[in-house]
């Protein structure tokens, strides 16, 4: 777990942030650790300057290459679901994007492994991890449909891009009793699925949590 000292990294209005936290609470986010981490993490530093003033709105925002920084509500919800499964030593994130979700996770779990398919996005995110002094984040360029075998198994896997169906590789890389949180479906309608591996078996329990809208999980890497 990582405790970042964000003080002095250009804090935006404390009131704007408090309003966001209040909104998340109203929408049912109740894990205090998650709310605290969202409150102290400077979301504006994950956006281009032209959009930074919108960072504390509860909305998804563009980060280039037709990709988006997820809405704070969904980041909070997925993180809360993951943590409710128990202590997380190793978490895999599919879709590093801006690195915002990664940075939230890094403050709540022991180690975060994150994969991204678009190299320029990955590079920018890695610069942010370095600037924040995150020493428990391992981000790399690859197609996340294959998971990340070299660091498996994972207590938790979060996908921030939506496949049409659940990739087998992700199920195979879950530790016993591990949890996968993933949006599944096509652009028009996706469901947020929570899949739990039953002990060390090859049986999985699936629960659909709510309707969501994510960018699609695409194949191959872009340099
Ligand atoms: N977690 C990110 C969300 C970014 S949007 C954030 O907080 O900013 C989803 C990301 O998933 C995009 O950056 C997209 O390029 C990436 N992505 C899509 N398909 C992928 C794949 N097969 N493997 C790895 N990353 C993928």
């Amino acid at each position: 777990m990582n405790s970042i000292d964000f003080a002095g990294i250009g804090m935006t209005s404390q009131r704007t942030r408090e309003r966001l936290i209040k909104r998340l609470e109203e929408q049912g986010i109740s894990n205090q650790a998650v709310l605290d981490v969202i409150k102290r993490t400077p979301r504006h530093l994950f956006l281009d300057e032209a959009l930074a003033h919108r960072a504390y709105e509860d909305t998804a925002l563009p980060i280039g290459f037709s990709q988006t920084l997820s809405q704070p509500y969904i980041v909070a919800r997925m993180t809360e679901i993951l943590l409710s499964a128990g202590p997380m030593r190793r978490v895999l994130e599919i879709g590093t994007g801006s690195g915002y979700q990664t940075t939230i996770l890094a403050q709540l779990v022991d180690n975060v492994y994150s994969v991204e398919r678009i190299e320029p996005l990955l590079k920018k995110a890695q610069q942010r991890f370095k600037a924040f002094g995150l020493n428990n984040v391992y981000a790399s360029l690859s197609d996340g449909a294959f998971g990340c075998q070299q660091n498996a198994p994972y207590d938790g896997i979060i996908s921030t891009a939506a496949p049409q169906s659940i990739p087998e590789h992700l199920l195979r890389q879950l530790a016993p009793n591990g949890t996968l949180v993933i949006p599944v479906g096509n652009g028009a309608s996706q469901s947020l699925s929570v899949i739990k591996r039953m002990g060390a078996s090859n049986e999985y329990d699936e629960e659909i949590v709510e309707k969501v809208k994510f960018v699609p999980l695409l194949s191959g890497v872009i340099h």
Side-chain angles (χ1 to χ4, degrees):
M1 238 157 294
N2 213 296
S3 165
I4 317 172
D5 182 12
F6 286 124
I9 313 188
M11 281 290 221
T12 50
S13 156
Q14 198 58 33
R15 242 190 306 148
T16 327
R17 290 170 183 236
E18 273 158 19
R19 226 179 294 137
L20 171 63
I21 298 306
K22 192 155 173 277
R23 225 194 113 122
L24 296 179
E25 282 172 335
E26 282 164 7
Q27 290 178 97
I29 305 298
S30 60
N31 184 317
Q32 202 52 52
V34 172
L35 290 166
D36 285 348
V37 163
I38 289 181
K39 189 165 160 187
R40 63 199 293 275
T41 303
R43 191 170 184 253
H44 63 282
L45 298 182
F46 295 83
L47 293 162
D48 284 343
E49 242 167 86
L51 279 169
H53 68 288
R54 300 191 55 197
Y56 301 95
E57 292 175 20
D58 188 20
T59 178
L61 291 166
I63 54 171
F65 302 88
S66 307
Q67 304 305 316
T68 56
L69 200 176
S70 309
Q71 182 193 359
Y73 166 74
I74 205 70
V75 171
R77 187 88 176 98
M78 291 173 84
T79 307
E80 182 173 82
I81 290 169
L82 199 71
L83 294 182
S84 71
M88 294 277 148
R89 279 156 305 167
R90 306 161 78 79
V91 171
L92 172 66
E93 176 192 29
I94 313 295
T96 317
S98 68
Y100 178 70
Q101 169 83 72
T102 326
T103 300
I104 298 293
L105 284 169
Q107 297 171 78
L108 294 160
V109 308
D110 291 349
N111 293 291
V112 186
Y113 303 86
S114 186
V115 292
E116 170 57 54
R117 65 180 285 273
I118 301 177
E119 191 168 30
L121 287 180
L122 176 72
K123 286 268 152 68
K124 249 195 207 175
Q126 283 172 325
Q127 283 168 9
R128 292 179 178 124
F129 303 147
K130 203 168 162 200
F132 297 154
L134 291 175
N135 56 12
N136 60 344
V137 168
Y138 310 89
S140 56
L141 186 73
S142 71
D143 182 343
F146 300 98
C148 185
Q149 181 62 47
Q150 73 199 77
N151 300 305
Y154 304 98
D155 303 305
I157 302 179
I158 274 192
S159 182
T160 66
Q164 304 271 356
S165 60
I166 294 162
E168 276 290 311
H169 291 276
L170 300 188
L171 297 178
R172 299 279 165 261
Q173 291 174 22
L174 281 177
N177 295 310
T179 300
L180 166 64
V181 184
I182 187 167
V184 187
N186 58 35
S189 91
Q190 300 162 2
S191 306
L192 186 63
S193 263
V194 179
I195 294 143
K196 283 183 197 295
R197 181 173 175 195
M198 311 305 285
S201 75
N202 284 333
E203 282 177 45
Y204 302 87
D205 181 55
E206 180 175 7
E207 187 192 340
I208 289 167
V209 181
E210 60 192 88
K211 290 274 171 231
V212 287
K213 193 154 174 47
F214 277 83
V215 295
L217 187 88
L218 301 173
S219 59
V221 300
I222 294 178
H223 291 280

